[in-house]
Amino acid sequence: MRIYFRAHMASVSGLLNLCLLCVLESTALASNNHIELISENFRHILTWEAGNQSTNPTHYRVQYVDFRKRKKWNYSKECFNTTHLSCDLTDEFTDPRGQYSAKAEALMENGTSVWVNYVKLFTPIHQTILGPPTVHITGYDGYLITIQPPVCHLKSPDKQRFLSLVPDVYPELIYKVTLIKAGVTNESSRILEYLTNEGNFTTSIPDLFPMTNYCISVNATATINKNPHAIPSSWKCAVTGPMSELDYPVPAVICGCVLTFGLVLMLVLAMLKWIPVSNYSSRSYDNRIYYTEPVLLYPPEPKTFSKKSNHNIVTSTNLVDVL
């Protein structure tokens, strides 16, 4: 009976120890849903959470692997027996086209450990988030903008310098410029996109109103980067300068031509209005011959009237006397 009771107590004690061990392991490191790899501009930070009920001091170790080169797990030197809940893997993920995975190990006081894997494959050149570029504005001289690519945390093979995001890592970048009027809420924004392979990109924004305060924000993307969450730059504002003659040459030339033509037309119409019509008539009918009755300057010679009748003959002299 005693042997049976002792055996029963031993089994119960073993079961309790096993349950306690499971509780310690579950509280030392959170589940897979709480481990995350955050990458921005090729800076890679692995983060995790400890269990809420863990009271014992816990140390962590991080391992990583590049499946593109070899399937061998390596310990991170920077995160070996660390007490922090994050690990910087930037110096470990040196190949931007590599296919990486990582996992964290929790070490407890009783010597046990538990692993939590970051099972998703991560390819930096396709999945890193591109942060905000550096933007400079000159508003008075034609609203020029100069854009520098986001800072890159990848180092050269000799570890002596940081690489440039373009053209060292990406062959080209796409800058998306959002333009708005400062203080205007009911007007839609204007979106401009520029494709460049230059390290420092400078351009001007046309068709802007003079003496107007405009604000811009810029984000950077790449054609081979599949992460849609690019981080835009902070808003920067500048006032455009006054309109100059060189700003709008075509309208000035058109207005000048129209005014000149109008003045010439008015002058021609004025000249035609004051030319006498008779001048045109005389010019048109100079070659015509007119036949009119001659005008007598002296009275005609007296005529003698006679009638073959029994009456007395009346001469012109007598007619004049009668009159």
Side-chain angles (χ1 to χ4, degrees):
M1 184 69 180
R2 292 181 179 179
I3 297 175
Y4 173 76
F5 179 76
R6 289 178 180 177
H8 180 70
M9 291 298 296
S11 62
V12 171
S13 177
L15 182 61
L16 291 176
N17 290 333
L18 180 60
C19 293
L20 180 61
L21 179 61
C22 293
V23 170
L24 291 176
E25 290 183 353
S26 62
T27 57
L29 194 64
S31 62
N32 292 1
N33 295 332
H34 296 277
I35 188 169
E36 184 180 9
L37 181 63
I38 302 173
S39 176
E40 179 180 335
N41 295 337
F42 295 93
R43 183 184 182 188
H44 319 295
I45 306 296
L46 185 70
T47 63
W48 59 88
E49 294 181 4
N52 296 330
Q53 299 177 356
S54 178
T55 57
N56 297 326
T58 306
H59 291 76
Y60 302 96
R61 293 186 296 188
V62 174
Q63 282 189 343
Y64 68 95
V65 62
D66 184 0
F67 291 105
R68 189 167 179 259
K69 294 181 178 179
R70 57 186 181 274
K71 296 182 179 180
K72 180 181 178 181
W73 290 88
N74 299 308
Y75 279 104
S76 172
K77 297 179 181 179
E78 300 294 332
C79 309
F80 193 82
N81 291 336
T82 180
T83 58
H84 299 290
L85 299 179
S86 63
C87 178
D88 191 344
L89 296 174
T90 303
D91 292 337
E92 315 294 350
F93 294 0
T94 56
D95 184 5
R97 298 182 180 273
Q99 296 179 346
Y100 294 96
S101 183
K103 60 183 179 180
E105 178 187 16
L107 302 176
M108 291 168 288
E109 289 183 343
N110 58 2
T112 60
S113 64
V114 59
W115 288 95
V116 175
N117 297 339
Y118 182 79
V119 294
K120 296 180 180 179
L121 288 180
F122 173 73
T123 305
I125 199 169
H126 296 318
Q127 295 174 265
T128 189
I129 299 175
L130 297 185
T134 304
V135 182
H136 302 282
I137 309 176
T138 304
Y140 197 82
D141 297 331
Y143 212 86
L144 295 176
I145 59 174
T146 301
I147 307 174
Q148 296 177 350
V151 176
C152 181
H153 295 277
L154 281 175
K155 293 183 179 180
S156 59
D158 57 2
K159 307 294 183 181
Q160 297 299 318
R161 66 180 182 90
F162 288 99
L163 299 178
S164 176
L165 204 60
V166 58
D168 294 338
V169 181
Y170 293 109
E172 56 191 11
L173 289 178
I174 302 172
Y175 291 124
K176 182 179 180 182
V177 179
T178 303
L179 175 74
I180 61 173
K181 287 183 181 179
V184 179
T185 58
N186 58 351
E187 185 174 347
S188 60
S189 60
R190 181 177 172 185
I191 307 297
L192 303 171
E193 288 189 355
Y194 301 94
L195 179 66
T196 179
N197 57 1
E198 301 175 0
N200 293 336
F201 175 71
T202 301
T203 186
S204 61
I205 300 180
D207 303 330
L208 298 180
F209 292 103
M211 303 303 295
T212 305
N213 192 12
Y214 287 95
C215 300
I216 65 170
S217 177
V218 184
N219 63 24
T221 58
T223 54
I224 60 176
N225 188 297
K226 301 177 182 179
N227 195 320
H229 303 291
I231 303 175
S233 66
S234 58
W235 290 98
K236 287 194 173 182
C237 304
V239 178
T240 56
M243 183 185 301
S244 63
E245 295 181 359
L246 296 178
D247 292 338
Y248 299 94
V250 175
V253 172
I254 293 176
C255 292
C257 294
V258 171
L259 290 176
T260 304
F261 178 77
L263 291 175
V264 172
L265 182 61
M266 292 176 62
L267 182 62
V268 171
L269 292 177
M271 293 176 61
L272 292 177
K273 181 178 180 181
W274 292 104
I275 293 177
V277 180
S278 60
N279 291 349
Y280 292 98
S281 301
S282 61
R283 292 176 185 175
S284 302
Y285 298 98
D286 282 344
N287 297 327
R288 294 188 180 184
I289 301 175
Y290 291 89
Y291 296 92
T292 59
E293 294 292 335
V295 180
L296 298 179
L297 301 177
Y298 302 96
E301 295 294 332
K303 294 182 181 181
T304 303
F305 296 93
S306 62
K307 292 184 180 181
K308 295 180 179 182
S309 61
N310 296 329
H311 298 86
N312 295 328
I313 298 174
V314 181
T315 65
S316 59
T317 304
N318 297 333
L319 180 60
V320 171
D321 295 336
V322 174
L323 298 172

